[in-house]
């Protein structure tokens, strides 16, 4: 990230916290009494002779129309810590939407007739994990444990999580939560589509991708690999490493593992069998689209896979520790730099134990991943990807989710390695062409208007990486975040960029430079992961306010699992409740502060009404 972008983000964050003009005004809390879209145009009552009755029309319904099932109604938060700091998840009060007028100089809208334009739900960073795969490197995760020399600097927190065997159950709980919504929680408009913004799989394995597609389609799944009769991952009954959580206990050691001894984690007998059991899935009741993330395209989300890694993934030896005599510092430097040989050497030389081979653990390419989305019972076929993507091995596309709206899905994974993102030059040029084709006018590079040939559409960008994580220069001609932002700001029809990757709820405004022909800008909405606490989704509603402004309502949704889990959890929702609690207590998770609850973010990053200039009369168009 450049100094200019970092400074811009700091400035925006500072302005959004002090209640001054240009930032979040704390008094602007969306109350129950605000008017709903279009309701003021209700038809008059008719008298017996067919003339208008004298009675006034009924008052419009109040925003939000349907908060039930979202964090507008109630949310889940950290409970009081017990032994060794371990906390339960408890139900907390709902959180009203905060109005953010950052892009309008701190102003609000003037109260025109509001018309819903688009409603979507976002899944992100589901990280469907084959927790028994030989191609995983869980033993690197301890380098990020509290007290480790690399705790704050090494990128291996995603190599192991105590809840990682429960990702399919969490995804099912999220599907149930979204399906239960009556529509957009603020406007009531039916949800037009759902989009998964990348890191759908964890380790680019075929079986992980198939579980994700089948789960969203509503097909039964068995989230198991290798032996069908026993657990072959770490943390099992034959695992003597106290750095992992052992849900069955550690009777062979005569003492608990570190997670139970230091952090108060529970014992859950039978979990490692129940997490692998087949279960029926619900399936989304909306069309769903997908986006390509770094874990969808790189081994462990960081390293380009090769034949050796593929053979290890499908094979009979599961590494469980660092190789003897290895230069750890040199190895970590190579891994952090995305050296394609580093992971191969590590997996080849590490001590290992026997597991059952499984061809479904094979690594798959971008082209194979895209093609697999046509093997679906859900809609649309390909889930956004096209046959042109299959032929070219690309993963970016456009789609038309509603009248006057264009969705643009980007592929921000850098196939050359490392976990941060960027675009290749061909994709960047393609993006510029899409923006021009859907704008009747736009700004040139000097800030002056250009008349375009396209019909106006509002444009919503989708990617896995955020602006701040589009910093990966590996390979020829990579385009980074600042250049992409500069391009998007030339097109007032771009109002929203939706993404994931950070595993954190954040909302960031990007403003046009002063002195150009039009002010305003666009909003970046980044949503937390399903694999980590707080395991939330977001519903986004785009509304034309009838006063030359648009509102983007972003509402957080907790998944459908209860706050607490019962003894012997076995159903998908019970197991998802356990996963949420384990994730909240993960010792590697960011801490709770006075203003931010770790990855939940601040209030201004959760339930929001984001104001932006309307680039053309959207509702009338």
């Amino acid at each position: 990230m450049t100094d200019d972008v970092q400074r811009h983000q700091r400035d925006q964050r500072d302005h959004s916290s002090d209640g001054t003009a240009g930032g979040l005004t704390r008094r602007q809390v969306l109350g129950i009494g605000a008017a709903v879209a279009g309701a003021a145009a209700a038809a008059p009552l008719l008298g017996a002779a067919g003339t208008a009755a004298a009675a006034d029309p009924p008052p419009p319904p109040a925003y939000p129309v349907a908060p039930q099932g979202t964090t507008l109604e109630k949310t889940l938060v950290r409970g009081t810590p017990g032994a060794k700091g371990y906390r339960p998840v408890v139900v907390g009060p709902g959180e009203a939407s905060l109005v953010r007028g950052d892009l309008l100089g701190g102003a609000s809208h003037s109260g025109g007739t509001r018309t819903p334009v688009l409603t979507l739900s976002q899944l992100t960073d589901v990280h469907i994990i084959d927790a028994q795969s030989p191609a995983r490197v869980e033993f690197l995760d301890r380098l990020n444990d509290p007290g480790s020399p690399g705790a704050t600097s090494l990128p291996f927190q995603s190599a192991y999580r105590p809840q990682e065997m429960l990702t399919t159950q969490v995804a099912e709980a999220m599907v149930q939560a979204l399906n239960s919504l009556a529509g957009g929680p603020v406007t009531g408009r039916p949800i037009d589509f759902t989009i998964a913004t990348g890191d759908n799989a964890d380790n680019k394995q075929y079986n992980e991708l198939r579980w994700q597609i089948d789960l969203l389609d509503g097909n039964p799944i068995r989230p198991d690999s290798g032996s069908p009769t026993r657990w072959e991952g770490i943390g099992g009954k034959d695992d003597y490493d106290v750095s992992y959580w052992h849900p069955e206990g550690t009777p062979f050691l005569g003492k608990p593992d570190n997670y139970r001894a230091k952090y108060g984690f529970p014992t859950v007998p039978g979990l490692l069998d129940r997490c692998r059991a087949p279960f029926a899935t619900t399936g989304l009741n909306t069309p769903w689209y997908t986006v390509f993330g770094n874990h969808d395209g790189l081994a462990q989300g960081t390293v380009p896979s090769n034949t050796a890694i593929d053979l290890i993934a499908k094979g009979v030896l599961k590494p469980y520790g660092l190789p003897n005599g290895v230069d750890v510092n040199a190895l970590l430097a190579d891994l952090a730099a995305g050296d394609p040989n580093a992971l191969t050497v590590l997996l080849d030389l590490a001590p290992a134990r026997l597991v059952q081979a499984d061809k479904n653990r094979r690594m798959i390419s971008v082209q194979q991943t895209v093609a697999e989305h046509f093997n679906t019972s859900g809609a649309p076929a390909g889930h956004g990807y096209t046959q042109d993507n299959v032929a070219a091995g690309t993963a970016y596309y456009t789609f038309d989710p509603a009248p006057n709206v264009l969705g643009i899905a980007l592929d921000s994974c850098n196939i050359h390695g490392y976990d941060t993102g960027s675009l290749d030059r061909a994709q960047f040029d393609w993006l510029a062409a899409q923006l021009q084709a859907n704008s009747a006018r736009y700004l040139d590079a000097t800030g002056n208007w250009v008349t375009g040939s396209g019909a106006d559409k509002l444009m919503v960008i989708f990617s896995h990486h955020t602006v701040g994580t589009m910093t990966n220069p590996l390979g020829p001609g990579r385009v980074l975040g600042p250049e992409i932002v500069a391009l998007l700001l030339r097109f007032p029809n771009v109002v929203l960029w939706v993404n994931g990757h950070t595993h954190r709820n954040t909302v960031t405004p990007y403003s046009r430079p002063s002195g150009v022909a039009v002010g305003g800008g666009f909003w970046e909405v980044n949503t937390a992961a399903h694999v980590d606490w707080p395991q939330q989704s977001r519903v986004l509603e785009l509304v034309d306010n009838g006063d030359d402004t648009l509102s983007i309502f972003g509402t957080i949704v907790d998944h459908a699992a209860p706050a607490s889990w019962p003894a012997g959890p076995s159903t998908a929702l019970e197991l998802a409740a356990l996963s949420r609690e384990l994730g909240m207590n993960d010792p590697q998770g960011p801490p709770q502060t006075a203003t931010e609850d770790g990855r939940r973010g601040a209030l201004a990053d959760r339930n929001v009404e984001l104001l932006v200039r309307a680039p053309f009369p959207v509702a009338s168009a």
Side-chain angles (χ1 to χ4, degrees), residues 365-444:
S365 66
V366 176
Q367 191 171 39
Q368 291 167 327
T369 298
V370 170
E372 196 63 32
H373 282 82
F374 289 87
N375 182 11
T376 180
S377 59
H383 299 290
Y385 296 136
T386 67
Q387 291 297 337
D388 287 342
N389 291 133
V390 177
T394 58
Y396 48 89
Y397 60 89
T398 64
F399 63 108
D400 297 288
N404 306 316
V405 180
L406 181 73
I408 302 178
L410 303 177
D411 171 15
S412 59
C413 174
N414 188 334
I415 59 171
H416 301 286
Y418 205 50
D419 62 332
T420 52
S422 54
L423 303 184
D424 62 79
R425 183 59 60 176
Q427 182 180 178
F428 181 77
D429 293 342
W430 170 88
L431 171 61
Q434 302 307 312
L435 299 174
Q436 291 180 20
N438 292 280
S439 299
R441 64 175 189 163
Y442 55 92
L443 300 170
D444 63 19

Side-chain angles (χ1 to χ4, degrees), residues 132 222-224 227-231 272-278:
Q132 302 175 88
R222 182 175 72 90
D224 191 15
S227 171
T229 61
R230 66 187 180 96
W231 173 260
L272 296 180
D273 287 330
R274 290 193 291 272
C275 72
R276 300 181 296 116

Side-chain angles (χ1 to χ4, degrees), residues 55-415:
D56 292 332
Y63 274 163
V65 170
Q68 294 79 18
T70 76
T71 56
L72 292 169
E73 177 192 29
K74 61 184 179 181
T75 192
L76 299 173
V77 297
R78 301 173 192 263
T80 303
K84 301 170 184 174
Y86 190 87
R87 295 173 182 262
V89 176
V90 298
V91 177
E95 298 177 344
S97 297
L98 295 174
V99 179
R100 294 192 57 173
D102 309 41
L103 295 177
L104 301 181
S108 185
H109 61 84
S110 62
T113 300
R114 302 178 114 182
T115 305
V117 174
L118 176 73
T119 302
L120 67 99
S121 53
Q122 180 197 10
L123 308 172
T124 195
D125 297 86
V126 184
H127 283 271
I128 297 295
I129 296 176
D130 175 5
Q132 302 175 88
S133 172
R136 303 196 73 234
V137 289
E138 300 96 338
F139 48 88
L140 290 177
D141 180 83
R142 69 196 65 190
L143 300 171
N144 283 104
D145 284 345
S148 168
T152 60
S153 59
L154 297 175
F156 302 119
Q157 291 179 341
S158 63
Y160 169 72
R161 300 173 175 89
Q163 72 273 18
E164 65 186 14
M165 74 291 287
L166 300 171
T167 53
T168 56
Q169 291 83 3
V170 170
E172 168 63 17
M174 192 60 75
V175 167
Q176 291 190 29
L178 295 178
N179 284 352
S180 72
L181 300 180
V186 176
T187 67
R189 176 188 170 94
I191 296 175
D192 294 286
F193 68 96
T194 301
I195 191 162
T197 51
D199 283 4
N200 308 308
D202 183 71
N203 202 26
K204 67 168 299 184
Q205 292 180 193
Y206 169 79
N207 59 341
E208 293 175 339
L209 176 62
R210 275 294 357 143
W211 295 341
Q212 191 248 356
I213 294 173
D214 287 334
L215 195 149
L216 298 187
D217 282 352
N219 299 321
I221 65 170
R222 182 175 72 90
D224 191 15
S225 67
S227 171
T229 61
R230 66 187 180 96
W231 173 260
E232 295 184 311
I234 51 85
K237 295 178 180 179
D238 58 348
D239 179 8
Y240 292 79
D241 193 328
V242 296
S243 296
Y244 308 128
W245 178 54
H246 293 69
E248 313 280 352
T250 50
F252 45 81
L253 291 175
K255 63 178 182 180
D257 56 59
N258 293 343
Y259 277 85
R260 291 184 294 136
K262 294 182 178 181
Y263 308 115
F265 273 58
T267 300
V268 189
L271 176 64
L272 296 180
D273 287 330
R274 290 193 291 272
C275 72
R276 300 181 296 116
F279 65 93
T281 67
T282 305
L284 285 166
N285 59 13
T286 66
W288 64 271
Y289 295 83
T290 196
V291 170
F292 202 78
N294 55 293
H295 278 262
D296 302 310
L298 299 166
Q300 293 284 268
T302 303
V303 179
S305 63
N306 53 35
T307 301
I309 295 175
D310 182 61
L311 291 173
I312 290 168
K314 297 181 295 187
V316 297
L317 292 175
K318 177 169 177 56
Y320 61 84
L322 287 170
N324 291 328
V326 68
D327 183 339
V328 175
N329 290 329
L331 172 65
L332 297 182
D334 290 342
L335 287 169
D339 183 341
N341 297 315
L343 185 61
T344 306
V345 171
L346 178 63
L347 293 173
D348 276 344
L349 299 180
R353 61 173 178 266
L354 283 172
V355 297
Q356 183 168 313
D358 190 336
K359 65 180 182 180
N360 287 330
R361 289 170 169 160
R362 64 186 179 273
M363 300 276 162
I364 54 177
S365 66
V366 176
Q367 191 171 39
Q368 291 167 327
T369 298
V370 170
E372 196 63 32
H373 282 82
F374 289 87
N375 182 11
T376 180
S377 59
H383 299 290
Y385 296 136
T386 67
Q387 291 297 337
D388 287 342
N389 291 133
V390 177
T394 58
Y396 48 89
Y397 60 89
T398 64
F399 63 108
D400 297 288
N404 306 316
V405 180
L406 181 73
I408 302 178
L410 303 177
D411 171 15
S412 59
C413 174
N414 188 334
I415 59 171

